[in-house]
Amino acid sequence: GAGVSQTPSNKVTEKGKYVELRCDPISGHTALYWYRQSLGQGPEFLIYFQGTGAADDSGLPNDRFFAVRPEGSVSTLKIQRTERGDSAVYLCASSLGQIMNTEAFFGQGTRLTVV
Amino acid sequence: AQSVAQPEDQVNVAEGNPLTVKCTYSVSGNPYLFWYVQYPNRGLQFLLKYITGDNLVKGSYGFEAEFNKSQTSFHLKKPSALVSDSALYFCAVRDNGGSTLGRLYFGRGTQLTVWP
């Protein structure tokens, strides 16, 4: 597609529920990133995929968070047993491979609210 | 570890005046620096980047940034501000090695308000 697409744009869920957030990167971009942005803060890194594999998942806060990218394109961020502290905007970005001087393109984000 | 600091939470300027949004960085190795802008209810948009070469980098919407290695700074500038420039601006540095290659480290952001 023309840009990075994230769905849903908004998600309200009850504490303890499971949620999935989807990211559709720019066609041809092999690198995909998930970030989390809390109110008043800059985006914080969660996980980075190169192709189908998670090259760096050290930013995931705990084992309730998991992400997949089975075919090297669309990615899903999964959060189990959601907590109110998980409320944030979840951003997805993609870029052309591991080229260091290549900028990442961001989606509009999914605003997750845990009530 | 890589990090950036944006010392000002808010910057206010009058339309037509020059603007500067400050950013300092800390990296091991060569810095790969970026500026992004975030409008309300929209995703981060890339403005410009410094990888190597000229210290003055030109980007989108008339913005430019000056890389200063001795001061470890990468300040965003625009000669004449527009009301439509009002937004949240983020400076970021990219990790350049090891297992965290590719990760971007963002500052807290600076809210720019340009009044008519």
Side-chain angles (χ1 to χ4, degrees):
Chain A
V4 178
S5 176
Q6 291 188 248
T7 54
S9 54
N10 281 283
K11 176 72 176 177
V12 180
T13 190
E14 293 180 347
K15 179 176 177 294
K17 299 291 187 182
Y18 167 83
V19 296
E20 289 189 351
L21 312 179
R22 175 188 168 105
C23 173
D24 198 341
I26 293 173
S27 179
H29 282 191
T30 58
L32 185 146
Y33 314 82
W34 284 99
Y35 288 81
R36 179 168 70 174
Q37 186 176 13
S38 301
L39 193 63
Q41 302 293 322
E44 293 180 303
F45 172 82
L46 294 177
I47 187 169
Y48 159 50
F49 287 90
Q50 182 59 39
T52 60
D56 178 6
D57 64 358
S58 61
L60 295 176
N62 51 60
D63 61 5
R64 295 187 296 104
F65 288 75
F66 189 71
V68 296
R69 194 186 185 198
E71 298 179 356
S73 178
V74 172
S75 176
T76 304
L77 178 66
K78 307 180 180 190
I79 310 174
Q80 298 177 320
R81 305 183 303 280
T82 52
E83 299 177 358
R84 293 195 177 87
D86 298 335
S87 297
V89 176
Y90 289 81
L91 299 170
C92 178
S94 69
S95 67
L96 283 170
Q98 283 187 321
I99 303 171
M100 287 305 304
N101 60 355
T102 301
E103 62 268 27
F105 295 85
F106 284 79
Q108 294 189 359
T110 293
R111 182 176 298 277
L112 176 66
T113 304
V114 181
V115 297
Chain B
Q2 329 289 19
S3 66
V4 295
Q6 294 181 243
E8 302 158 317
D9 290 335
Q10 287 192 324
V11 170
N12 300 309
V13 298
E15 188 173 34
N17 283 1
L19 70 87
T20 299
V21 182
K22 296 180 180 177
C23 172
T24 59
Y25 66 89
S26 174
V27 300
S28 53
N30 295 323
Y32 295 85
L33 297 158
F34 302 81
W35 275 101
Y36 284 84
V37 60
Q38 188 173 42
Y39 295 99
N41 300 316
R42 297 181 66 178
L44 289 163
Q45 295 180 35
F46 169 78
L47 274 181
L48 50 80
K49 64 185 177 187
Y50 172 83
I51 304 301
T52 187
D54 291 340
N55 290 340
L56 186 64
V57 179
K58 294 189 182 297
S60 306
Y61 311 119
F63 283 93
E64 55 191 28
E66 186 172 10
F67 171 70
N68 187 317
K69 187 173 182 179
S70 64
Q71 296 185 4
T72 61
S73 66
F74 189 55
H75 300 332
L76 181 70
K77 301 182 179 185
K78 187 172 183 180
S80 178
L82 299 172
V83 172
S84 58
D85 293 330
S86 299
L88 188 57
Y89 290 81
F90 290 97
C91 181
V93 63
R94 192 162 197 171
D95 217 329
N96 54 16
S99 62
T100 56
L101 180 70
R103 180 189 298 198
L104 280 171
Y105 296 85
F106 286 87
R108 289 174 54 118
T110 298
Q111 178 66 47
L112 172 68
T113 301
V114 181
W115 71 82

